[in-house]
Amino acid sequence: MCGIVGYIGTKKAVPVLIKGLLSLEYRGYDSAGICVLNNNVLDVVKDKGRVKNLEENPELSNLIGNIGIAHTRWATHGIPSKENSHPHLDNSGKFAVVHNGIIENYTELRSMLEKNGYTFLSQTDTEVIPNLISYYYESKKDVLKAVSLAVTDLKGSYAIEVISPYLKDSIIVARKDSPLVIGIGENENYIASDIPAVLNYTNKFYFLEDNEISVIKKGKISFFDSSLNPIAKDIKDIKWDATSSEKGIFEDYMLKEIYEQPQVIMETIGSRLKPNEKCYFDDLDIDLKNINKIYVVACGTAMHAGLATKYTFEHFCKIPVEVDMASEFRYRNPLIDKNTLCIFISQSGETADTIAALKLAKNAGCKTLAVVNVIGSSITRIADYTIYTHAGPEIAVASTKAYTCQVVLLNILAVYFAEVLGYESKELEDFKMEILELPAKLKLILDDTKNIQDFAKEVYTKQDLYFIGRNTDYAVSMEGSLKLKEISYIHSEAYAAGELKHGPIALIENGVTVIGVATNPNLVEKTMSNLEEVITRGANVMVITNQVIPDIKASCIIQIPKCTPMLSPILSVIPLQLFAYYIAKNKNLDVDKPRNLAKSVTVE
Ligand code: M6R
């Protein structure tokens, strides 16, 4: 969950690296560092704190040179401190390494190295890597061989960059279970853990696969397998526009991404769904007739997208759907086989638990389909089929536009499955039309946010909040509650409204805030009765609805456009995202980089 950047070329490395790190801070922000190779010397500047601290460090001006590696850290082993910051050097000061991932056997490797006279300055797992490279270099006198032997000893996950005076004109990179891309320039090349870090310079990328090593020079990039046999790779053209990873007129990425939703939903619908035509997905030839169960597996917000769309698959495709957290699924021997379709949802395509769950499903013989935002990411390379959301780069840690795109795309997928299975109906046609109307409806909600802002101001000092709803309104409540927790640090929980009386209502007393989502015409009366019950007990209530509701004593009622309950999460989540956002702003918090969290969770 750290961010990595690298540069080799004709420009000064430091400004490129700093710019890259700034755009990668969503991956970790408790320390940052840079190492530049200049006149055969490795110069390092690093410290705890944000990239801004590093940028303002006067020592940085001493780092001249056109080859460099950089890192922004999300601490796993060892507290945020200067010693624990990357890059780490070996004892001889000849190998500098930045690392993303976790080395699980670092204690064994460390004692082996200590027995061989190596000493350690940090508490990190990473520091074994430069020393291990140095250890092998002693006998092999070849950096590429030394790196390849060192990574063979590593257990766990890693994406590493290595520079050394012995290499002079190259950077060596290697990966396993942690993302790494190489951006191709003219007489210069870039390395990054995520595409947006170098999108300003290039749209052409190589994606390094697990157990591959690459030697990157300014005019040449070579790839090798784990036995150092040369391999060929295809260049991928990334259509994302560099400005899409900048804040533009917005104060924060999160707000920008919330407001981008009408546009990115339109792009996600693309040409897959058109009025009076069958849905279309390129290369999706799953034999659905033999599928008797769908599992949707993901983490966090992506898992909530699965919960929000389970209803559509069951309703239109008549296939039972189970939604599970990847971290649970991977350890519970799920009952899956060749007749199960497993759908994995992920914005980053790099989430460690989701990848492990996907591998398990593949080994069990299931058909696997990935719904991913980041092109070429690990999950897309493992799954049998991939369909992409077109949310563009999502930078804020709290996922917003990726969620709505996932929900839209999964709904379209359900329509496609229903059509393939022959379940066409007037209801299905109307549903397709409703999907096409979503961007315009989203705009209406985003045009008028005053009531949400006012209510956020009223309750931002509270310690606890509850979200309630039924069916898809419950699914979206879970997402609203997660959004609030992660960026405002307020404790909140989501309950199926009908469950309140089975326990949680005991928590309701004067002044407790409850958010009710009530968009299902068949269930609105029931949810409203539940809200009456909490109001009677003193709760301060906000209701999000698109129905005519009884006159209740709610502090705030947010009316959103009408739509079928199966699509309502796409609309009702907007006030919930904005509510979380404005609460965090009222508390003066950094909404884009909430504490303890990183954008892609590439470690278990
Ligand atoms: O990249 P992924 O979609 O696989 O990430 C899954 C979760 O880590 C992610 O959705 C997380 O819950 C977000 N911070 C929520 O806003």
Side-chain angles (χ1 to χ4, degrees):
M1 285 175 11
C2 306
I4 284 180
V5 200
Y7 175 76
I8 181 161
T10 48
K11 296 199 261 279
K12 268 185 87 177
V14 168
V16 178
L17 297 173
I18 288 285
K19 196 165 177 175
L21 286 184
L22 283 168
S23 70
L24 277 185
E25 261 197 316
Y26 59 86
R27 289 189 69 98
Y29 27 84
D30 57 44
S31 29
I34 286 186
C35 179
V36 166
L37 179 65
N38 188 40
N39 282 333
N40 285 333
V41 176
L42 293 172
D43 290 324
V44 178
V45 178
K46 60 180 187 175
D47 210 343
K48 69 174 181 187
R50 296 215 163 172
V51 178
K52 197 103 200 74
N53 297 0
L54 180 71
E55 194 181 8
E56 285 161 6
N57 190 324
E59 289 174 35
L60 212 57
S61 57
N62 304 330
L63 266 58
I64 40 177
N66 320 107
I67 302 177
I69 57 176
H71 189 265
T72 175
R73 179 168 183 250
W74 186 87
T76 57
H77 295 66
I79 53 157
S81 68
K82 184 168 180 164
E83 295 68 40
N84 290 336
S85 311
H86 301 216
H88 289 284
L89 295 183
D90 73 307
N91 286 177
S92 69
K94 297 292 185 198
F95 298 97
V97 170
V98 294
H99 163 227
N100 175 24
I102 289 183
I103 305 306
E104 289 162 5
N105 60 337
Y106 83 101
T107 352
E108 292 154 44
L109 293 171
R110 194 168 160 143
S111 24
M112 181 282 278
L113 288 163
E114 277 167 348
K115 278 184 200 129
N116 282 279
Y118 287 82
T119 53
F120 290 84
L121 305 173
S122 76
Q123 291 105 46
T124 64
D125 52 340
T126 302
E127 204 185 351
V128 297
I129 305 175
N131 284 309
L132 208 51
I133 295 171
S134 163
Y135 169 78
Y136 284 117
Y137 184 80
E138 282 304 302
S139 52
K140 301 289 170 197
K141 299 292 177 221
D142 178 310
V143 185
L144 182 57
K145 278 193 189 139
V147 171
S148 130
L149 288 167
V151 295
T152 312
D153 285 352
L154 305 179
K155 290 208 178 99
S157 56
Y158 57 82
I160 57 165
E161 295 177 321
V162 184
I163 54 174
S164 164
Y166 301 134
L167 280 170
K168 288 198 174 63
D169 59 351
S170 323
I171 301 178
I172 295 185
V173 298
R175 73 154 267 178
K176 184 178 159 278
D177 294 334
S178 256
L180 200 96
V181 296
I182 300 163
I184 309 158
E186 287 276 317
N187 209 23
E188 59 182 0
N189 290 305
Y190 304 85
I191 304 152
S193 45
D194 305 45
I195 296 163
V198 294
L199 207 51
N200 267 298
Y201 310 103
T202 182
N203 283 85
K204 300 208 176 309
F205 287 89
Y206 285 118
F207 289 83
L208 204 67
E209 305 278 350
D210 279 354
N211 303 312
E212 289 179 354
I213 300 181
S214 173
V215 179
I216 303 158
K217 298 180 187 293
K218 64 180 178 194
K220 188 176 174 210
I221 306 171
S222 322
F223 296 96
F224 304 90
D225 65 14
S226 54
S227 314
L228 292 184
N229 299 309
I231 46 177
K233 270 192 161 321
D234 290 338
I235 296 175
K236 294 238 164 30
D237 232 329
I238 300 297
K239 303 259 178 308
W240 290 352
D241 155 17
T243 55
S244 57
S245 49
E246 283 163 14
K247 270 190 237 171
I249 54 161
F250 291 91
E251 219 174 295
D252 319 88
Y253 281 111
M254 183 176 173
L255 194 62
K256 175 185 180 239
E257 289 161 6
I258 290 174
Y259 274 85
E260 277 172 355
Q261 290 177 102
Q263 180 60 31
V264 294
I265 284 177
M266 207 133 69
E267 280 163 25
T268 297
I269 298 172
S271 56
R272 288 156 169 162
L273 187 118
K274 291 182 185 154
N276 306 316
E277 281 183 30
K278 286 201 172 184
C279 275
Y280 177 74
F281 282 93
D282 269 338
D283 305 324
L284 208 60
D285 56 359
I286 306 169
D287 186 3
L288 291 170
K289 288 270 182 295
N290 293 322
I291 298 297
N292 55 26
K293 185 169 187 179
I294 297 177
Y295 254 103
V296 182
V297 183
C299 300
T301 288
M303 197 264 298
H304 292 160
L307 288 171
T309 46
K310 160 188 166 74
Y311 303 86
T312 320
F313 283 100
E314 292 193 334
H315 183 73
F316 286 125
C317 312
K318 322 280 179 229
I319 304 174
V321 178
E322 221 175 295
V323 183
D324 210 350
M325 290 164 252
S327 55
E328 287 294 309
F329 180 89
R330 64 183 287 195
Y331 291 119
R332 74 172 178 84
N333 297 326
L335 294 174
I336 48 176
D337 58 27
K338 62 179 180 11
N339 300 118
T340 316
L341 170 66
C342 288
I343 302 179
F344 296 87
I345 313 169
S346 177
Q347 187 286 126
S348 61
E350 301 293 350
T351 303
D353 282 322
T354 311
I355 293 175
L358 166 58
K359 287 181 179 165
L360 182 143
K362 273 199 92 167
N363 288 338
C366 306
K367 298 273 166 309
T368 57
L369 183 146
V371 175
V372 174
N373 194 44
V374 178
I375 299 159
S377 53
S378 302
I379 288 178
T380 69
R381 297 197 300 269
I382 306 169
D384 298 325
Y385 303 92
T386 297
I387 55 175
Y388 285 103
T389 46
H390 292 289
E394 192 181 61
I395 308 292
V397 167
S399 182
T400 52
K401 61 176 181 169
Y403 169 82
T404 42
C405 286
Q406 286 158 353
V407 178
V408 167
L409 189 55
L410 286 159
N411 273 301
I412 299 175
L413 186 71
V415 173
Y416 170 77
F417 283 180
E419 287 176 343
V420 171
L421 289 165
Y423 294 125
E424 280 134 328
S425 64
K426 162 93 173 52
E427 190 194 2
L428 193 69
E429 277 312 307
D430 293 346
F431 185 75
K432 286 159 77 172
M433 291 311 291
E434 283 215 46
I435 294 179
L436 294 168
E437 288 161 8
L438 286 167
K441 291 183 178 175
L442 253 94
K443 270 196 194 122
L444 290 175
I445 305 174
L446 289 166
D447 281 349
D448 181 9
T449 64
K450 181 162 184 319
N451 289 346
I452 303 164
Q453 294 193 43
D454 289 349
F455 191 64
K457 204 172 210 155
E458 191 182 322
V459 300
Y460 78 92
T461 52
K462 301 286 176 199
Q463 300 294 313
D464 297 291
L465 261 102
Y466 298 94
F467 292 76
I468 61 166
R470 289 167 184 257
N471 286 13
T472 51
D473 290 337
Y474 170 46
V476 83
S477 295
M478 286 190 236
E479 176 53 12
S481 170
L482 176 66
K483 220 76 307 162
L484 185 72
K485 279 191 244 300
E486 64 178 334
I487 61 166
S488 76
Y489 318 147
I490 294 176
H491 165 250
S492 81
E493 288 185 59
Y495 284 105
E499 277 296 293
L500 271 186
K501 57 187 168 299
H502 297 292
I505 200 158
L507 297 165
I508 306 298
E509 57 186 5
N510 238 356
V512 167
T513 307
V514 178
I515 317 293
V517 186
T519 67
N520 186 323
N522 300 324
L523 299 170
V524 63
E525 279 178 17
K526 297 199 180 297
T527 305
M528 293 314 294
S529 306
N530 299 128
L531 287 171
E532 281 287 8
E533 285 157 14
V534 296
I535 290 171
T536 308
R537 286 159 181 84
N540 188 19
V541 163
M542 170 164 93
V543 191
I544 294 160
T545 187
N546 54 12
Q547 302 295 310
V548 178
I549 53 166
D551 192 14
I552 61 163
K553 284 206 180 84
S555 293
C556 175
I557 297 175
I558 307 291
Q559 277 291 345
I560 59 170
K562 274 209 158 21
C563 73
T564 160
M566 286 177 283
L567 295 176
S568 69
I570 300 154
L571 302 179
S572 54
V573 80
I574 308 294
L576 299 179
Q577 294 170 345
L578 288 163
F579 178 63
Y581 172 83
Y582 285 114
I583 293 230
K585 289 303 274 186
N586 275 298
K587 292 182 79 174
N588 261 327
L589 296 171
D590 184 342
V591 288
D592 286 340
K593 302 185 194 90
R595 72 183 178 203
N596 303 340
L597 294 174
K599 183 69 183 164
S600 17
V601 186
T602 53
V603 293
E604 194 180 344

